[in-house]
Amino acid sequence: MWRPICTRCARPALVAALAIVLAGCAGEQSALSAGGPAAAAYARLGNIMYAGAAAILALVMGLTAFAILAPPERRAWLGRRRSIVAGGIVFPIVTLTALMIYGFGVMRDAGWSEAGRVARDIGDINPGNGALHVEVVGEQFWWRVRYLDAAGEVEFETANEIAIPTGRPVTLRLTSADVIHSFWVPSLAGKIDMIPGRTTTLTLAADRAGTYRGQCAEFCGAQHARMAFHTVAMAPRDFDAWLDRQRQPPAPPSDPFLERGLEVFLSSGCGACHTVRGTEAAGTLGPDLTTMGSRPSVAAGTFPNNAGTIAGWIASSQHLKPGNLMPSFDALTGPDLRAVAAYLESLK
Ligand SMILES: [Cu+2]
């Protein structure tokens, strides 16, 4: 008879194995780790499907073993017409129909009907209805994010970061400036395409504060894989403070090193593509850098944000993300590069 080599260690070993497997479900970008109601509905559906598929696989494997190993007279019933109709036709129809009906409920819970309704009346944005209007434009290879006021005017622009308050659904208007991209924050909602010339909408809602990573989910060119962003869900009070900080352009630098950084920024031509509100830089081809220092990442989720990665990016953008629309500024001197990076990092 089979016996575990050591009964005492069998249980801890099983627990350890399960812990390793289940660790794969956590993380800032996982449909299995839901941060809001829509994602929770998908995660439940997923769990039902994984458990159901595992049970059916076990059943089929068991029956296969039985069909091979059992004596002929005992396994004969498996080949009867009745068994084939029951197992091959009735069982799939019943289970898949039940799953479909449950799936319609999931679509309702995940807000698809709600998204459709908002899509119709968002066309003539209703002034003063208190809703938060956020527009996200997919660009090769980053995300332009605009916060609009009640009249539909752009209040401020940021990039690769979407801040939302917890406990309140936010409907995003999504479109693209060039090719088809797809917007996906697996821990918060389903994914939806961003199509040039069209506006789609998606509602994000987070129950718990935290950072949820999103990723472009439609191949859009050479740097598609490095087109990520972070959704930062904050308690409502923190969110209001964030909005206030974003609305105000940062004060001009007073430290001579940062002043030098601003000078380098303006004299190197960065302003042809980038805006820093409160300065003469007003380009719109690249991300608005007004509050660069407060973002979670550099270059659409490619690097963590600090003065070192900003400097590396400015000098070698074409090596780090070949084919992106920013040229490498590899002729800047070391001190100038450090100054401009420190200046951008100071913009919060
Ligand atoms: Cu893409």
Side-chain angles (χ1 to χ4, degrees):
M1 202 177 88
W2 181 81
R3 272 163 154 236
I5 301 160
C6 148
T7 1
R8 281 233 204 119
C9 46
R11 216 193 299 167
L14 185 70
V15 170
L18 267 178
I20 291 170
V21 171
L22 290 175
C25 307
E28 57 169 13
Q29 183 184 306
S30 168
L32 302 174
S33 158
Y42 292 136
R44 263 195 309 278
L45 174 65
N47 288 334
I48 288 172
M49 288 176 63
Y50 307 139
I56 291 172
L57 180 71
L59 179 71
V60 171
M61 288 299 144
L63 286 175
T64 307
F66 181 75
I68 295 169
L69 303 173
E73 65 284 2
R74 288 193 58 196
R75 65 179 191 217
W77 62 271
L78 267 176
R80 303 226 167 88
R81 199 187 176 87
R82 256 235 218 122
S83 313
I84 290 168
V85 170
I89 299 175
V90 177
F91 179 75
I93 289 178
V94 170
T95 29
L96 293 179
T97 306
L99 198 60
M100 185 177 69
I101 292 168
Y102 181 77
F104 287 141
V106 171
M107 283 173 79
R108 187 200 54 215
D109 292 348
W112 282 108
S113 54
E114 177 72 4
R117 188 176 64 68
V118 175
R120 277 193 298 281
D121 60 21
I122 210 165
D124 51 331
I125 289 175
N126 197 353
N129 63 2
L132 187 63
H133 296 297
V134 185
E135 187 176 85
V136 184
V137 185
E139 312 247 354
Q140 280 170 320
F141 302 97
W142 57 283
W143 312 81
R144 189 188 295 275
V145 181
R146 295 189 176 117
Y147 282 73
L148 314 179
D149 63 15
E153 298 294 321
V154 178
E155 262 200 286
F156 61 85
E157 193 175 299
T158 176
N160 308 323
E161 174 192 29
I162 303 170
I164 59 169
T166 50
R168 176 174 153 197
V170 176
T171 299
L172 307 177
R173 308 174 49 166
L174 306 169
T175 187
S176 165
D178 36 50
V179 299
I180 299 176
H181 301 275
S182 184
F183 182 95
W184 194 26
V185 192
S187 298
L188 292 181
K191 79 174 120 156
I192 192 157
D193 278 2
M194 305 168 98
I195 302 163
R198 264 210 234 170
T199 301
T200 46
T201 66
L202 182 76
T203 301
L204 289 185
D207 297 330
R208 50 183 170 88
T211 299
Y212 303 95
R213 192 174 185 274
Q215 169 70 45
C216 181
E218 175 70 45
F219 181 73
C220 58
Q223 293 304 329
H224 163 65
R226 294 196 185 93
M227 183 171 166
F229 63 99
H230 290 89
T231 303
V232 185
M234 308 174 189
R237 211 183 320 143
D238 298 340
F239 177 71
D240 288 340
W242 182 87
L243 279 181
D244 284 343
R245 280 199 307 279
Q246 297 288 320
R247 283 184 184 123
Q248 276 167 19
S254 48
D255 175 301
F257 183 52
L258 301 181
E259 270 171 8
R260 175 67 194 147
L262 171 58
E263 241 172 71
V264 174
F265 185 80
L266 295 175
S267 62
S268 306
C270 315
C273 298
H274 293 291
T275 294
V276 174
R277 273 180 288 135
T279 74
E280 60 201 65
T284 55
L285 192 133
D288 187 309
L289 300 178
T290 306
T291 53
M292 180 64 211
S294 69
R295 284 179 202 159
S297 77
V298 176
T302 308
F303 305 105
N305 187 5
N306 58 57
T309 51
I310 294 178
W313 168 257
I314 297 168
S316 326
S317 50
Q318 287 304 319
H319 296 278
L320 300 171
K321 209 167 159 178
N324 91 86
L325 294 183
M326 172 161 158
S328 295
F329 283 79
D330 44 13
L332 288 174
T333 63
D336 281 357
L337 184 60
R338 280 194 289 279
V340 71
Y343 164 68
L344 290 175
E345 202 265 342
S346 77
L347 300 175
K348 298 202 170 151

